[in-house]
Amino acid sequence: MKIGYPCINRSIGCKSNKTFRLKSYSEERLIETVDKNLDCLVRILEFNIKHNILFFRITSDLVPFASHPICKFDWQEYFKGRFKEIGNLIESHNIRISMHPDQFVLINSLNNTVFENSLKELNYHVEVLDLMELDTSAKIQIHVGGIYGEKEKSIKRFIERFEKLDETIKRRLVIENDDRRYSLKDCLLLNAETGIPVLFDIFHHELNNSEEKISEAFRLFTKTWRKKDGIPMVDYSSQKKGELKGKHTESIDLEHFKNFLKLTEPFDFDIMLEIKDKEKSALKAMKVALKDDDRFI
DNA sequence: TCACGTCAAGCAGAT
DNA sequence: ATCTGCTTGACGTGA
């Protein structure tokens, strides 16, 4: 059982998600940016190792414009060695990795160009993890997609499109329940049809569910992860107090978190803290977890 | 150094 | 019709 945070570390003074405008694209600019992003990724990982935070989501902005037609540069070859080194660092410290392509990745889009672009974007994510030579427990999480006014047809389209994906993508792809469109129940149905693992987002589940209790939800989604997929992943957040429903809290609510650990006691899983202050909350959560819970070594 | 208009990409609910 | 959230502001021009 591990705790992690996504993409950005706000304490160490560098970012691994630096980008630039399409208009200012040049090969030099790309190389320079990726170089710095990789440097920073190493620094973040070293920070995490030092603090026993062994789950991390790598930013999709690591290589800007990697899936855009403007990018003709063979960054894979150019940075091969660096990716491998980072992969070694990850593996030697047994760090769990995820990536989360953004909202433009839609397997079930009605628009074929959107689908084609999604494939390119997924391929880019796969390349990053493959260049690091990470095993298939390093996952790429996406939402199921749009509804387009016909949910059943859209689910069917997801299944058909998923079946035809390259094995390199399929072996890393997982779906996450979202807060408005596809619930845990929908994701479980998709798992039954395709075998794709379900990443459980507990905050989304609170906003969009079929009244499954937490223990029931855990019993169901954890079963969708096979041995080769690694330990099931969970996205954790809680409601920002006094704000609109669905707004993420600024910093971890430790009472809520302790209760969450209690409710999920029989299960083993890795927790991604989707909380604004990133590593700060991860440090707080680690402290609580190490003290109160023997699932954390 | 700073203000601020705009930024690769989609969907859907809210206003 | 336009804005906003999504995992997240921040790039870069003009002054």
Side-chain angles (χ1 to χ4, degrees), chain A residues 176-177 199-208 214 217-218 234-238 256 260 263-264 271-272:
Chain A
E176 173 191 350
N177 58 305
L199 186 155
F200 184 58
D201 186 309
I202 186 149
F203 191 40
H204 290 161
H205 185 71
E206 280 170 20
L207 301 163
N208 179 18
I214 292 301
F218 268 73
V234 172
D235 281 356
Y236 170 89
S237 183
S238 63
H256 186 282
F260 163 71
L263 286 171
T264 59
I271 311 170
M272 179 59 62

Side-chain angles (χ1 to χ4, degrees), chain A residues 231-252:
Chain A
I231 291 167
M233 291 179 177
V234 172
D235 281 356
Y236 170 89
S237 183
S238 63
Q239 174 67 36
K240 182 168 177 179
K241 287 189 177 125
E243 281 273 348
L244 278 178
K245 235 183 159 187
K247 197 125 179 127
H248 289 244
T249 184
E250 285 293 323
S251 188
I252 191 165

Side-chain angles (χ1 to χ4, degrees), chain A residues 1-6 45 48-49 51-57 89-98 134-135 137-138 199-200 218 221 225 229-236 252 257 260-261 264 267-274 281-290 293-297:
Chain A
M1 196 153 183
K2 291 169 180 166
I3 286 175
Y5 61 95
L45 291 170
N48 292 353
I49 291 162
H51 294 96
N52 216 12
I53 298 170
L54 299 179
F55 187 18
F56 188 65
R57 184 183 298 163
L89 180 68
I90 289 167
E91 226 152 60
S92 64
H93 290 88
N94 202 18
I95 297 171
R96 189 79 185 279
I97 294 292
S98 68
L134 302 180
D135 66 27
S137 73
L199 186 155
F200 184 58
F218 268 73
F221 94 84
W225 293 68
D229 297 314
I231 291 167
M233 291 179 177
V234 172
D235 281 356
Y236 170 89
I252 191 165
F257 184 66
F260 163 71
L261 289 180
T264 59
F267 300 97
D268 191 15
F269 54 97
D270 289 338
I271 311 170
M272 179 59 62
L273 302 176
E274 289 191 333
S281 283
L283 292 172
K284 286 190 204 168
M286 273 309 296
K287 214 169 160 185
V288 166
L290 285 170
D293 199 313
D294 55 20
R295 285 174 292 180
F296 300 85
I297 313 150

Side-chain angles (χ1 to χ4, degrees), chain A residues 38-95:
Chain A
L38 293 175
D39 284 345
C40 185
L41 178 57
V42 171
R43 288 188 53 201
I44 294 174
L45 291 170
E46 283 169 347
F47 173 96
N48 292 353
I49 291 162
K50 194 170 145 194
H51 294 96
N52 216 12
I53 298 170
L54 299 179
F55 187 18
F56 188 65
R57 184 183 298 163
I58 295 175
T59 174
S60 296
D61 288 332
L62 199 63
V63 184
F65 303 104
S67 70
H68 191 281
I70 201 170
C71 178
K72 305 268 192 261
F73 182 65
D74 191 355
W75 56 269
Q76 296 90 334
E77 185 57 35
Y78 187 91
F79 289 108
K80 203 172 161 183
R82 299 216 54 201
F83 277 103
K84 178 71 171 60
E85 270 173 43
I86 295 171
N88 288 343
L89 180 68
I90 289 167
E91 226 152 60
S92 64
H93 290 88
N94 202 18
I95 297 171

Side-chain angles (χ1 to χ4, degrees), chain A residues 97-113:
Chain A
I97 294 292
S98 68
M99 293 185 84
H100 194 342
D102 58 30
Q103 59 272 31
F104 311 107
V105 170
L106 295 157
I107 298 277
N108 72 354
S109 178
L110 282 172
N111 177 335
N112 207 51
T113 309

Side-chain angles (χ1 to χ4, degrees), chain A residues 174-217:
Chain A
V174 302
I175 45 172
E176 173 191 350
N177 58 305
D178 68 72
D179 56 348
R180 293 211 295 265
R181 306 188 287 244
Y182 293 93
S183 65
L184 172 66
K185 196 173 168 188
D186 298 322
C187 292
L188 290 168
L189 189 133
L190 280 160
N191 166 262
E193 294 292 328
T194 63
I196 189 169
V198 178
L199 186 155
F200 184 58
D201 186 309
I202 186 149
F203 191 40
H204 290 161
H205 185 71
E206 280 170 20
L207 301 163
N208 179 18
N209 61 65
S210 308
E211 292 172 22
E212 304 92 342
K213 293 209 171 71
I214 292 301
S215 57
E216 175 71 354

